[in-house]
Amino acid sequence: MREEICPGIYHEGSSISIDLSVYFSNPDAVPAKVFVESVNGMNMMMTESRHAILKLLGIDCGGESVLYLQTVRNGSKISDFIFRIFFGSDEEANQTADILHKRFGLNKLMESKHVQNILIAALVAFVVRDVATKYLDGDKSASTINATNSVILNAGRDLNLPDGTIDRVFKECIANRPKASKGALLALQPATMKSDTVVKIGGRDGEEIPQDVVTNIPPPSVIKLKEEPASYNLNGIRIGVMASDIDRRKSGWAVKLPANSPFPGKRIKAELDPSVKTTDLMYREEVNADITIYQDAKGKPQRVVIRNIIDDAR
C-alpha cells in the first residue's frame, strides 16, 4: 500500500518514493535527441548526488536507488520522474518513513512545501555554480554565481537548515561533481532551444531556476569527464575491522559497513590513509571513522579508504 508521508514523498513496502517533475516553458516540443539527453542528464545528476539528497532528507540508510521516467506531458514540456530508494527490509523503510513523517509531514512549517523540489533546485544551482566558476568569465560568471548562491541560501531557509548545511553536504557527499555538473547541463538543454525559457523543478508551480542560470549555461561538451571511480565520503561511521596487516597499508585490510550505510553488512577491502597508523586499528573489532567509498561503473563498492579514526578507546 502506497502511503503519503508528506507532499510528493511516499512509503511503499521496503522503499521510499519521491515524485519529481521538470517543467520547461518552451512553446514547442524539443527534438527527441535533446529530450533523451536531458532525461539521461537528470539521471546522471541524481545518481551522483543520491547520498547528498538522502542525507539532507535525514535518511542515513538505504541501498539502491533508481530514477524512473513516468510520463511526458504537453509535448515534452513536463517530465515526471519517480526517484525510488530501496531499503534492506520493510522495517528499515518503516523507520525511515517515520523519521520523514515527523520531520516534514507533522511539521506545520513544512506541510505545504514540496521538500524534494526545493532540494533538487538547490542541487542544480550547486553543480551549475561549479560550472560558472570553472568555465564562465566576467559578468556571466558573476551573475550565475550570484543567482545560484541565492537558490542555495533560500533552500536552506525554506528547509529550516543552519546556514551552510546544503553547501557542506553537497561538497562532502556528491560522488563525482564534474559528472553531476555535466548531468545538470544536459538536463537543462531543452531550455537553451529558445530564449527566455522558464525552467521549474516540480511542474508549473515548482521551484524556478533563475534566468541568469538558464541563459548563461555553456554546452555540456565543455566538461570532459575522466574515467575515474566514483567516490563519496561517509564521516563518523562505525565500521567493523574484518582483516588487518600491521606491515602494510594498501592490502591485507577489510572492513564491514554497518546497517545504516548505503551497503549494509558488506565486507569491502580497505586501505589506510597515510595519516592513519596501522597500530590504531590492530586488534580492534569496531572503530568510528571517516571513510571514502570507491565504486565501479555499476555502482558496486570496490574499496574503502580509512581517512581518519575518530575514537581510539579500546
Side-chain angles (χ1 to χ4, degrees):
M1 180 178 177
R2 197 171 190 237
E3 174 191 5
E4 186 174 59
I5 300 169
C6 58
I9 301 181
Y10 301 87
H11 171 219
E12 183 176 5
S14 61
S15 69
I16 302 290
S17 297
I18 301 173
D19 288 349
L20 295 171
S21 294
V22 181
Y23 166 74
F24 297 96
S25 67
N26 304 48
D28 303 310
V30 300
K33 181 176 182 295
V34 175
F35 175 74
V36 170
E37 288 178 348
S38 177
V39 171
N40 286 336
M42 186 73 176
N43 184 59
M44 185 187 300
M45 181 182 71
M46 295 293 291
T47 299
E48 297 302 318
S49 308
R50 66 178 292 272
H51 297 290
I53 295 166
L54 299 186
K55 188 166 185 176
L56 288 168
L57 284 171
I59 302 175
D60 292 325
C61 55
E64 297 298 317
S65 63
V66 180
L67 182 69
Y68 298 92
L69 177 62
Q70 187 178 29
T71 56
V72 181
R73 294 181 279 150
N74 294 1
S76 75
K77 281 187 178 182
I78 302 176
S79 301
D80 298 317
F81 299 90
I82 296 176
F83 186 57
R84 180 166 291 171
I85 306 129
F86 296 93
F87 294 82
S89 66
D90 288 2
E91 183 181 359
E92 284 185 25
N94 290 340
Q95 292 171 352
T96 302
D98 287 342
I99 291 170
L100 292 174
H101 185 60
K102 289 174 183 176
R103 184 175 177 188
F104 301 117
L106 297 178
N107 188 332
K108 294 298 182 183
L109 295 175
M110 303 298 299
E111 63 182 356
S112 64
K113 296 180 180 179
H114 285 74
V115 175
Q116 68 275 28
N117 299 342
I118 298 170
L119 272 182
I120 303 308
L123 170 62
V124 171
F126 179 85
V127 294
V128 170
R129 187 179 64 188
D130 277 356
V131 174
T133 302
K134 296 176 182 178
Y135 301 105
L136 297 179
D137 297 316
D139 291 343
K140 280 190 174 184
S141 177
S143 63
T144 303
I145 290 172
N146 287 338
T148 52
N149 281 339
S150 178
V151 172
I152 295 167
L153 182 63
N154 289 336
R157 290 173 178 171
D158 285 342
L159 297 175
N160 299 318
L161 296 172
D163 287 350
T165 299
I166 289 179
D167 255 322
R168 175 180 56 78
V169 172
F170 282 154
K171 285 175 182 176
E172 289 179 356
C173 298
I174 293 178
N176 186 320
R177 281 168 64 179
K179 196 170 180 180
S181 295
K182 186 164 188 133
L185 295 186
L186 286 165
L188 293 173
Q189 279 302 287
T192 66
M193 304 295 294
K194 187 173 178 59
S195 62
D196 299 325
T197 295
V198 173
V199 182
K200 292 184 179 182
I201 307 297
R204 294 177 185 272
D205 299 319
E207 301 292 319
E208 185 170 349
I209 304 299
Q211 272 294 308
D212 281 346
V213 174
V214 177
T215 302
N216 293 335
I217 58 169
S221 58
V222 301
I223 301 178
K224 309 298 182 185
L225 297 177
K226 297 178 182 179
E227 290 298 324
E228 297 177 342
S231 66
Y232 58 91
N233 298 329
L234 291 176
N235 296 328
I237 191 168
R238 192 153 189 85
I239 55 175
V241 181
M242 307 302 292
S244 58
D245 187 336
I246 196 169
D247 296 319
R248 292 183 290 184
R249 310 183 67 83
K250 293 197 173 184
S251 61
W253 294 87
V255 299
K256 184 177 180 180
L257 298 182
N260 67 338
S261 73
F263 305 101
K266 184 78 173 177
R267 178 187 169 116
I268 309 174
K269 66 181 181 180
E271 300 175 10
L272 307 187
D273 185 86
S275 64
V276 176
K277 298 177 182 178
T278 57
T279 52
D280 290 341
L281 287 170
M282 288 300 295
Y283 313 115
R284 304 289 300 277
E285 292 184 359
E286 290 186 332
V287 66
N288 289 326
D290 298 333
I291 66 173
T292 299
I293 300 177
Y294 290 88
Q295 298 169 267
D296 63 15
K298 295 182 178 179
K300 295 181 179 179
Q302 293 296 295
R303 62 188 173 98
V304 166
V305 174
I306 302 172
R307 296 180 285 111
N308 180 46
I309 303 298
I310 296 175
D311 65 354
D312 48 56
R314 296 180 183 272

